[in-house]
Amino acid sequence: MSYTRFQEVLLQEQPDCGFDTYRDLLPSMKNLIQKSLFAVRKTIDPQKRKYCFELFGYDFILDEDFNTWLIEVNTN
């Protein structure tokens, strides 16, 4: 589901929630991603390989108060 579609569904279900995906959700997700990458910065690419990259899949959940929680991070 796109962020725009999520916002539409959210407004249908809770029109007075005051939550905005671009203003509230994305910044909190980015903050959690930055913190997680900072925590493992010394263990990513220990062989210092050139010309390669890793992909990470981040799973988040929102609680009933619209707090963003990082559930897990998947690699490769």
Side-chain angles (χ1 to χ4, degrees), residues 44-56 76:
I44 296 176
D45 191 23
Q47 288 85 24
K48 306 291 186 223
R49 295 171 289 189
K50 292 184 179 184
Y51 313 113
C52 66
F53 61 92
E54 279 192 64
L55 296 176
F56 298 94
N76 301 13

Side-chain angles (χ1 to χ4, degrees), residues 37-71:
L37 289 173
F38 184 78
V40 297
R41 69 190 179 283
K42 294 181 182 178
T43 60
I44 296 176
D45 191 23
Q47 288 85 24
K48 306 291 186 223
R49 295 171 289 189
K50 292 184 179 184
Y51 313 113
C52 66
F53 61 92
E54 279 192 64
L55 296 176
F56 298 94
Y58 281 78
D59 296 334
F60 297 94
I61 193 168
L62 292 175
D63 65 18
E64 61 188 18
D65 297 320
F66 299 105
N67 296 308
T68 308
W69 296 92
L70 175 61
I71 299 173

